[in-house]
Amino acid sequence: MQIPDWPISGERELQLLREVLDSGRWGGHGDMVKRFEREFAAFTQCAHGISAMNGTVTLEMALCAAGVGAGDEVIVPAISFVSTAMAVSRVGATPVFVDIEPLSFNIDPDRAAAAITSRTKAIMPVHFGAAIADMERLIPLAAERGLALIEDAAHAHGSEWNGRRAGSLGLAGSFSFQNSKVMTAGEGGILTTNDASFAERAWSMMDQGRKPGGGWFHHYLLGSNFRITALQAAVLLAQLERLPRQSCLRARNAALLRTELAGVPGLAFQSVPKQQNANSWYLLLGRIDARAMGRTRDQFHRALTAQGVPCTPFYPHPLYGNPLYRGGGCRAEPCPVAEACIHDAFWLPHRALLADEETTHEIAGAILKACIDS
Ligand SMILES: Cc1ncc(COP(=O)(O)O)c(C=O)c1O
C-alpha cells in the first residue's frame, strides 16, 4: 500500500536552511527564529509566539508564566501524552486527572468543573488528535472560577473552533514540533498568546531570565535556555507553508474513510464538534465495540496492521497509571471512559491520511476487512 512516509521535506527546507547557514546566525537569536515565531503566531491568530526546544518545556513555560507553582492544582485530562501532566509536576504543582468524553476523547467539562478546589489554578485541555476540546464550556468555566486556561495544542496546528484557531482560545496555546507532528523539525515547540505580559514572562523563562530588549548579562527570573536553533526555525517555516495543503488532503481523506465506513457495526470514529470548522487531523481515532463487532480492539489492530496499515492500539494506561504517578504526586478522579478507551480505542497516524485517493479506498477496504473478517 502506497502510504507516504513522514516527515516530508523538499527544496523549500533546503533553501531556508541555506539562508541560515549563510547568515552565520545559527542559534536561537537568529533572524529566522523571529521570522518563524511571527509567522506561526499570525497563523494561530495570536500576537505573540515564543518558540522553545519542545512542546513539553512550552507547557512548563506556560504554567510558570501563569503563576502556577508549588501547592497548586492543575486539571488535565486522564488521556494524553505524559507531557501534559509531567509539565504540571515539573513546576511543583499537582496534576488532577479527570475523565474524557466517550467519543471526542477530550476532557469532560462537567468532570473538570467537579474537580475544582480552592487550590486549582489552571485547566489544561488537550485538543486530542486535533479535535478541539469543548471550549464553549471550558472558556466560561475558567473565567467564572478565575483559572488560567492553557491549551495543550500539541496535536492541533491549524484546527479551528468557530473560526478561531487552536492556541488563541485560552490564555495561551502550546504546540509541539516533535517528529510525528503535522509540522516538524524533529523536535521543537511554541507558545502562542494574545497576552503581552504573559508573553514577556514566557519569553524570559525560555531565554535565561532575560528581559526582551534588556542586556545580555541581566537576568531577572529563574529561566533556562530553552531556545530552538535558527536551523530548526528554517525547517519549521517550510513545514508551515506546506501545512494548509496537507491538512486539506487529510480532511478529504478522513471524510472519505469516515463516509465509506459509516454504519460498520461496532466501529465508531472520533466525534468532531459542530463548532470545529477546520481540523488538521493529527490522528484518525476510533473505538471498537467488541460485542457489536464480534472482535476485540486487539484483534482488529492485528488484522489491520497485517495488511500494512499503520495503527496504534491507544495508550496502555490513563496518565495516572504510569509508574511515575502510581505512588502519588497526583489526584485522579474516577475515569471510567478513559479506562474503557485503553481497551477499545485505536488511532491511525496522519501519514495514513496523506495517501492518494486510490490508496485511501484501499485503506478503507483494509479497515472494513479488519472489522468483519473472522
Ligand atoms: C498532547 C501532547 N502534549 C505535549 C506533547 C509534548 O511535545 P514534545 O514531544 O514536543 O515535548 C506531546 C507530544 O507528543 C503531546 O502529544
Side-chain angles (χ1 to χ4, degrees), residues 54-56 59 80-81 83-84 126 152 154-155 176 178 181 188:
N54 56 61
T56 305
L59 290 173
S80 182
F81 184 64
S83 305
T84 313
V126 176
D152 184 345
H155 297 183
S176 165
Q178 171 269 340
K181 300 301 184 290

Side-chain angles (χ1 to χ4, degrees), residues 20 49 82 90 99 231 283 352 370:
V20 174
V82 72
R90 298 255 330 155
D99 211 358
L231 297 161
L283 303 172

Side-chain angles (χ1 to χ4, degrees), residues 177-358:
F177 304 123
Q178 171 269 340
N179 208 67
S180 72
K181 300 301 184 290
V182 293
M183 46 180 291
T184 181
E187 301 286 355
I190 196 167
L191 263 188
T192 54
T193 183
N194 280 308
D195 183 316
S197 68
F198 173 93
E200 191 166 318
R201 287 191 299 280
W203 184 89
S204 188
M205 292 292 312
M206 174 274 290
D207 201 25
Q208 292 160 320
R210 295 190 177 98
K211 270 190 182 170
W216 186 258
F217 293 120
H218 297 273
H219 310 275
Y220 295 86
L221 55 81
L222 185 61
S224 190
N225 178 357
F226 293 146
R227 297 187 297 269
I228 59 167
T229 67
L231 297 161
Q232 284 167 290
V235 173
L236 288 168
L237 256 183
Q239 297 271 305
L240 179 60
E241 288 171 8
R242 211 178 282 111
L243 178 67
R245 194 163 32 85
Q246 289 174 331
S247 292
C248 279
L249 179 57
R250 283 191 292 266
R252 187 202 71 182
N253 288 341
L256 199 151
L257 289 172
R258 290 162 68 104
T259 306
E260 280 197 22
L261 295 162
V264 173
L267 174 67
F269 285 111
Q270 181 181 33
S271 59
V272 177
K274 62 179 187 319
Q275 298 91 337
Q276 183 154 357
N277 50 301
N279 189 332
S280 58
W281 290 102
Y282 174 56
L283 303 172
L284 182 70
L285 282 142
R287 295 184 69 179
I288 303 290
D289 177 343
R291 262 186 304 201
M293 189 181 285
R295 52 174 32 196
T296 63
R297 186 277 314 272
D298 290 341
Q299 289 171 319
F300 165 83
H301 169 250
R302 274 196 295 277
L304 188 57
T305 50
Q307 296 173 82
V309 177
C311 176
T312 299
F314 214 65
Y315 295 117
H317 34 234
L319 285 176
Y320 53 79
N322 277 292
L324 169 65
Y325 291 118
R326 265 191 238 143
C330 68
R331 182 155 64 83
E333 296 291 319
C335 295
V337 178
E339 296 278 348
C341 285
I342 298 309
H343 303 287
D344 67 20
F346 68 91
W347 68 67
L348 269 58
H350 65 91
R351 71 183 178 89
L353 298 174
L354 287 174
D356 60 25
E357 200 168 333
E358 193 186 327

